Amino acid sequence: MTIRDLIISAMVLIAFTCGAIAQDLSAGETAFRKCQICHDVGEEAKNKLGPELNGLDGRKAGTAEGYAYSDGNKNSGIVWSEMSFKEYLQNPQEKIPGTKMILSVNNEKERADLWAYLKQFGADGKKKSQ
């Protein structure tokens, strides 16, 4: 195998790996439909069974105004980021014992897509410019 072949193989592997976990806004919007039973996002978002999710990126857990959080959420110390969001969705009860959240998302790509979709909304519910 030549160096050229190794370089091409490495480039293909990198492209395949990045493509496998690439975030997709459209897929995230579709995946969010199952979340809409409990959560809302956008300019007209309201708290439902779960809190509205505007401005989630960088927001401290348990702080959406007007939502009655569990003590676990209020005292978790979590600041939402891509990593904490994905860990939480994988197993909410393990990440925050006592949370009201019952849905878990086992698919890594779906968690990434959901994050990509949600992080585009500012605290005011407007989409941030890309």
Side-chain angles (χ1 to χ4, degrees), residues 50-116:
E52 56 83 8
L53 299 176
N54 289 329
L56 192 61
D57 190 14
R59 184 169 92 188
K60 186 174 184 245
T63 62
E65 190 174 325
Y67 183 75
Y69 284 96
S70 68
D71 287 339
N73 276 84
K74 289 188 285 189
N75 300 319
S76 70
I78 292 173
V79 174
W80 294 116
S81 65
E82 184 172 2
M83 184 188 322
S84 61
F85 177 79
K86 288 178 178 180
E87 289 172 355
Y88 180 72
L89 280 187
Q90 191 167 11
N91 190 338
Q93 296 291 326
E94 183 177 295
K95 184 76 174 170
I96 302 179
T99 187
K100 296 176 186 178
M101 176 82 162
I102 58 172
L103 176 71
S104 61
V105 179
N106 295 317
N107 182 290
E108 182 179 351
K109 177 149 178 24
E110 186 175 8
R111 289 191 306 267
D113 293 342
L114 281 166
W115 178 255

Side-chain angles (χ1 to χ4, degrees), residues 25-42:
L25 289 175
S26 178
E29 183 174 12
T30 299
F32 186 71
R33 289 184 187 139
K34 66 182 165 190
C35 307
Q36 286 180 312
I37 295 168
C38 297
H39 297 283
D40 210 356
V41 70

Side-chain angles (χ1 to χ4, degrees), residues 10-27:
M11 291 172 65
V12 168
L13 179 62
I14 290 168
F16 177 77
T17 304
C18 291
I21 58 171
Q23 297 176 344
D24 181 336
L25 289 175
S26 178

